Every structure is written in C-alpha cells, then in structure tokens.
Amino acid sequence: MHMGFRWYGQGNDTISLDDIRQIPGVETIVWSLHHKQAGEVWQPDEIEEAMATITELSARDRAAGITKTFNADVVESVNVHESIKTGSTVLGISRDQAIDAYIETVANLGKAGVKVVTYNFMPVFDWLRTEMFHPCPDGSTALYYNQHQVDQLSPQGIIDETLKGAGSLTVPGWEPERLAHLPELMEAYQGMDHEQMYANYKYFLDAVIPTCERYGVKLAVHPDDPAFDLFGWPRVVSSKEGIQRVLDLNPSPCNGLCLCLGSFSSRRGNDAVDAVKTFMDRIYFSHVRNIRFTDEQGSFYEVGHRASEGNVDTVGIMKAYAEANYQGYIRPDHGRHLWSENTEAGRPRPGYGLYDRAMGIQYLLGVWDAYRYNR
C-alpha cells in the first residue's frame, strides 16, 4: 500500500512539499494541472515540469541533508468534458473532439510514468457542500452538506456559495470559466436519464481504454459526491450496483476505481467495507475519510478519520485493505480545519488543510500496521 497526500502545486496550495515531507509514511504526491480546463490537452513539457517538482530535490534540500523524495504516480484529476457526459456539443466542443484531447492527455501522462488517472462522471457539479467552514463541536471547522439548504437553493446559488467559500484558491470541479455557462450546461442535460448517461459513459471508456492499455495507465473513477442525484441530473456512480455496472461497461483491467469511502458512504445504505472487499481487484486508488450524519434527510459534516468520530467504519476499511495486502494508493481525504487554519489569514482550501490530514495518515497507517503485523 502506498500512502499519498493531495497537493495543489506551488503557488496554489497553503501547504508546501517540505511540510508534507515531514509526515511519516507519505510516498506519493497526488497532483494535477489545475490550470487546465476540461477538454484541453496536457502537454508533455507541462507534465514533465510538474512531476520534476514533486520527484526531485532542490539544491537547497540536498544542502540541508534532506533525502526523502516522493513519486508522482497518481493524477487527480483529468476532468471529463461535459460534451462527453452528454454525448453532444457543449461549450463549443463536440464529444469526439473532447475524447481525442483526453486520449492525447492520457498518452502523454503514461509516457511520463503516471500509473493512475482519477476522474469523475458527475453532471455539471463535482463534489457539493453547502458550507465550507462549518463550526464543529470541538472548535474546528469542516465541510458540511445540508440537504434542506440544497432543496431551497438553485444551481446558481450553489455555485455562488461554493466559490465564495473557496476564496482565492482554485476549486477543482468548480471552474468559474465553465460554470459561467450554467444555462447551456443545464440545457445539455435536459431530459437526460441514467440509461443515457451509462451509454455515453461506455462510449467514452471504449474510446479511451485502448490508450490506457498501451501506456499502462489505470483509469480510476471517483464515486459521486454526494452519492445521489441532484437537481434532477442523473448520477451513475452512487451505489454498489452502479459501480459494478461501470466496471462492466468495459471489462479491461484499466477500467477501475478511485474508491472514495466518504463519498460512497454519503448515501445511506451503502456499505463501505463491503465495497472495498467486493471491488478490491479494481481499486487502484482510495480516499479514506469519515462523515457524520446530522438528520434523516442525509445532511452530514466531515469529521476526523477515527472510526468512532462518525458513521464510516474506517477501521473495517483499513482492516480489509491490510488483510488483502492491498498494493494500490491510498490518501486521507477531506480533513477538518484546525488551529491556525481557523483564522481568516490561515484558511486553507476547504477540506485540504495540513494538520487533520496528517493526523489521519497516522491513524490509517496505525490500523494498517496493527492488522499487517498481527497476521
């Protein structure tokens, strides 16, 4: 198992590689080119520069006696253009044009040595929360999803609240350049049902998977977050049955999962531990985090990684991975904002502070070690 940490790049993250280097057990920096829009090709020189920043030590580091390095095996994410999801021309790009760009990007990443490419297939919105810095009982703040508020807000209202909460930092999946065309996006999904989404999904996989196979890249789909339909738009990676159907759309081993257990668990009735055991052979990357439901309607907020903090059995998850001697990549996911991160000046990207994710890594590794060493 390879422990990772999501990093948004120099000048785009409140956390430095030097900070991450001091977290015991971290091997992989999970990265992306966050300035690239969906439908744009990632060029080889851009990829090479980003990966070199992660994998190489500077002269200053070497002079200070630093030897710990990272790998850049996992990209999160190469976003899928809306034209691919709708099977139509959207924002001036046709489905086949967007797929051609995606194929070229995957090929460039594979040539550079990237092993896993994460993506999602959610309509219009990526992850969705109603509050970025919700006060928690312990004095920390965390991401919060309030179903009652979603029921009262329009899609544009959700966009406004999300971008306001992020401040000056980029928010993957919430690109202002794309969301500025919300009426066109909403029109493109008019009348779309789950069966049409699955058909468009298969078209995408069948086109891209041969390139993945050629260059040794595993595609890893992230579950819908939260894992149910929103605003009438069909979400198709929201349940065990939905995940199985996606894997069946193309049987290639390159068609796999980034199994985010917090997202998956946001749908009541989904069993995270069972999903890990069921799909183990196709999980190439996993996000392990915890949430606590606050009402019967499905509202929840994000809590610490310890199992007893919330409704996700993080111990059972790590036990399942340990007993299978999982060889893929894992990272802690959204953490609470702690200590200096709770000041206006110190605010990180929502959910992506340093301290709670660092503590989460130690908790997850502790469970892993306990089950591995006592086999």
Side-chain angles (χ1 to χ4, degrees):
M1 184 262 289
H2 306 282
M3 180 58 70
F5 194 95
R6 192 175 191 184
W7 186 59
Y8 287 86
Q10 288 182 334
N12 192 36
D13 205 315
T14 57
I15 300 164
S16 70
L17 288 177
D18 288 340
D19 293 333
I20 303 168
R21 209 182 311 275
Q22 295 175 42
I23 305 172
V26 176
E27 304 174 31
T28 303
I29 295 297
V30 179
W31 63 282
S32 186
L33 297 182
H34 293 285
H35 65 284
K36 304 294 284 192
Q37 297 293 307
E40 292 183 336
V41 175
W42 294 22
Q43 299 299 333
D45 58 335
E46 298 175 300
I47 294 168
E48 180 181 351
E49 181 180 1
M51 293 182 71
T53 298
I54 291 166
T55 61
E56 298 176 5
L57 290 171
S58 67
R60 176 184 62 83
D61 291 333
R62 290 192 296 271
I66 294 171
T67 59
K68 180 178 177 179
T69 58
F70 300 111
N71 69 64
D73 293 352
V74 180
V75 165
E76 183 184 350
S77 301
V78 179
N79 289 329
V80 176
H81 197 270
E82 302 295 338
S83 63
I84 296 173
K85 301 172 196 174
T86 62
S88 61
T89 297
V90 182
L91 305 179
I93 300 178
S94 72
R95 168 167 67 174
D96 289 338
Q97 286 175 317
I99 287 177
D100 286 345
Y102 207 96
I103 289 171
E104 187 174 350
T105 294
V106 168
N108 290 340
L109 289 168
K111 291 174 188 176
V114 169
K115 295 180 172 59
V116 178
V117 169
T118 307
Y119 70 103
N120 71 70
F121 217 75
M122 291 181 256
V124 185
F125 293 156
D126 202 306
W127 60 273
L128 189 149
R129 300 292 184 272
T130 54
E131 195 172 347
M132 302 297 108
F133 297 92
H134 177 72
C136 298
D138 60 6
S140 64
T141 59
L143 292 163
Y144 178 52
Y145 177 85
N146 186 323
Q147 184 62 56
H148 305 280
Q149 191 173 353
V150 171
D151 291 340
Q152 296 171 7
L153 284 172
S154 66
Q156 186 61 58
I158 291 286
I159 291 171
D160 294 342
E161 289 298 315
T162 300
L163 296 181
K164 181 175 68 176
S168 62
L169 296 166
T170 60
V171 184
W174 293 84
E175 299 81 13
E177 300 88 346
R178 178 177 63 88
L179 295 175
H181 302 277
L182 180 63
E184 181 181 350
L185 298 177
M186 293 176 66
E187 177 64 26
Y189 284 99
Q190 188 70 33
M192 178 89 53
D193 62 20
H194 294 84
E195 291 302 316
Q196 289 172 296
M197 281 289 284
Y198 280 120
N200 294 339
Y201 202 156
K202 178 174 174 54
Y203 188 95
F204 165 71
L205 290 173
D206 288 349
V208 175
I209 288 296
T211 299
C212 296
E213 293 174 334
R214 179 178 179 184
Y215 292 104
V217 175
K218 299 291 198 300
L219 276 187
V221 64
H222 187 291
D224 305 321
D225 184 12
F228 39 80
D229 292 354
L230 291 169
F231 301 109
W233 301 322
R235 292 185 160 203
V236 295
V237 197
S238 295
S239 64
K240 183 178 178 180
E241 294 74 23
I243 289 174
Q244 186 62 62
R245 184 162 181 181
V246 168
L247 295 178
D248 290 343
L249 292 176
N250 189 299
S252 170
C254 288
N255 175 27
L257 303 176
C258 166
L259 188 56
C260 175
L261 282 315
S263 299
F264 184 74
S265 298
S266 65
R267 183 189 186 104
R268 287 188 180 273
N270 280 353
D271 186 329
V273 177
D274 176 65
V276 170
K277 293 178 178 179
T278 300
F279 302 116
M280 183 72 70
D281 291 344
R282 300 287 281 277
I283 302 171
Y284 303 128
F285 183 28
S286 186
H287 301 169
V288 184
R289 64 177 167 86
N290 206 346
I291 63 171
R292 178 175 288 279
F293 289 109
T294 60
D295 58 37
E296 292 302 316
Q297 286 67 47
S299 303
F300 63 87
Y301 67 99
E302 317 236 352
V303 295
H305 288 74
R306 189 181 182 201
S308 60
E309 293 292 309
N311 297 108
V312 182
D313 184 5
T314 50
V315 169
I317 288 164
M318 294 307 297
K319 179 177 184 285
Y321 280 130
E323 290 180 340
N325 193 23
Y326 176 66
Q327 295 297 302
Y329 300 85
I330 284 179
R331 72 167 177 83
D333 206 2
H334 306 155
R336 298 165 299 149
H337 320 105
L338 307 178
W339 307 316
S340 59
E341 296 170 344
N342 270 326
T343 64
E344 196 69 35
R347 278 188 169 179
R349 181 177 280 98
Y352 286 97
L354 172 62
Y355 307 118
D356 206 28
R357 287 192 291 161
M359 290 194 294
I361 286 172
Q362 300 316 297
Y363 179 75
L364 300 178
L365 288 177
V367 177
W368 168 274
D369 288 348
Y371 284 106
R372 288 299 299 161
Y373 293 162
N374 287 287
R375 285 175 60 84

